Amino acid sequence: ELPTRHRTAPPPRTSARPVAMSSIYFDNDLALNDYANVTCIAWSKGEEQPLLAVADGCTLRIFREGEELLDYNQERQGLPCTALAWHPTSKVIAAGWEDGAVTFTGPGAVNARDDREVHRDARILSIVFNPNGTRCVTTDNNGVVGVWKTDQRGLCNQMCHYRKSGAHDKVIFRTATPTGEPNLENPPFFFGGEQGIIYLADDFGLCSERYKIGSPLLLLEYYREKDV
């Protein structure tokens, strides 16, 4: 670990002006095979010392403050890791792979778990948890969208899946009802991708087309206050 760098603004001229805070930077060299092979990274949430998951080619590595947690590494020969997402309230990392496998592991997981059926022989494009971590949505380049029931221990059960034309790489949960009430436990979700069609789906097998843009989606955001 390199020495800490400090940047401190000069003191204010009068007491009426706010005092600028100093910034602290830490440089950590990560023990990776090749930085050029890194396809995605993800930071864990809700803790002072977050964990960093790195997809280093065909290996998933987890670091804390630059130190690698070797017990939780995963490696799949010839199969790159293509998507990462941390559980929002637990140290469980969900990883998607080139062959369609979805794995759940990490310090908070009871046991490492994986599924190879829902997205068989397809590349995982995105993994998204709802705010409470009770649902997880996975997508692939063959148009399959998987919905999972998840918990803080890394346990997962496949609830349903959808198959739509095109690759879908944008997912966001609808965390409010049409009346404005919060819905964080098992909210429906929007998804879309290269076809320019936005779908609304839930975990009961219900899915409908909501918007058709006519060009690939570059960004999908949800404005909860307006439910749009």
Side-chain angles (χ1 to χ4, degrees):
E1 181 174 310
L2 299 180
T4 303
R5 302 175 182 173
H6 296 273
R7 294 182 181 178
T8 307
R13 296 180 180 179
T14 66
S15 59
R17 297 180 61 185
V19 177
M21 301 297 293
S22 62
S23 299
I24 301 177
Y25 300 88
F26 296 94
D27 292 334
N28 295 291
D29 289 327
L30 303 182
L32 301 176
N33 293 327
D34 187 348
Y35 282 91
N37 288 333
V38 173
T39 55
C40 49
I41 66 172
W43 288 99
S44 64
K45 305 173 178 66
E47 51 193 351
E48 292 185 1
Q49 293 185 343
L51 302 178
L52 174 64
V54 180
D56 180 16
C58 301
T59 305
L60 168 60
R61 304 180 186 278
I62 298 178
F63 299 88
R64 177 189 282 118
E65 294 291 310
E67 180 180 352
E68 187 171 5
L69 306 182
L70 297 175
D71 291 342
Y72 305 106
N73 284 356
Q74 295 184 63
E75 184 172 4
R76 309 192 68 207
Q77 190 66 35
L79 295 170
C81 180
T82 57
L84 293 172
W86 285 95
H87 189 281
T89 63
S90 178
K91 296 184 181 70
V92 173
I93 182 72
W97 302 81
E98 184 73 26
D99 65 342
V102 179
T103 61
F104 296 83
T105 187
V110 176
N111 294 299
R113 300 174 64 89
D114 67 89
D115 180 274
R116 305 168 192 270
E117 296 299 324
V118 175
H119 301 283
R120 179 180 291 274
D121 299 326
R123 184 175 70 256
I124 301 298
L125 297 181
S126 64
I127 304 174
V128 180
F129 285 94
N130 72 330
N132 285 2
T134 55
R135 297 292 184 272
C136 179
V137 175
T138 55
T139 71
D140 67 35
N141 64 327
N142 284 343
V144 175
V145 178
V147 185
W148 311 80
K149 182 178 181 181
T150 53
D151 66 12
Q152 294 180 332
R153 299 170 296 169
L155 301 179
C156 61
N157 292 295
Q158 202 255 328
M159 302 189 71
C160 65
H161 70 274
Y162 306 98
R163 186 181 294 274
K164 300 294 182 181
S165 298
H168 305 289
D169 60 351
K170 304 293 186 297
V171 179
I172 193 165
F173 281 91
R174 184 185 188 182
T175 53
T177 66
T179 60
E181 297 297 320
N183 183 14
L184 303 179
E185 189 64 27
N186 57 343
F189 59 94
F190 296 100
F191 70 90
E194 66 181 9
Q195 297 292 316
I197 301 174
I198 300 176
Y199 298 91
L200 177 64
D202 60 19
D203 53 17
F204 297 107
L206 301 176
C207 180
S208 62
E209 181 180 317
R210 286 303 181 96
Y211 310 100
K212 193 169 185 177
I213 299 174
S215 61
L217 297 181
L218 300 180
L219 179 68
L220 185 61
E221 294 287 347
Y222 176 67
Y223 185 18
R224 193 177 73 176
E225 286 73 12
K226 297 290 185 179
D227 187 36
V228 294

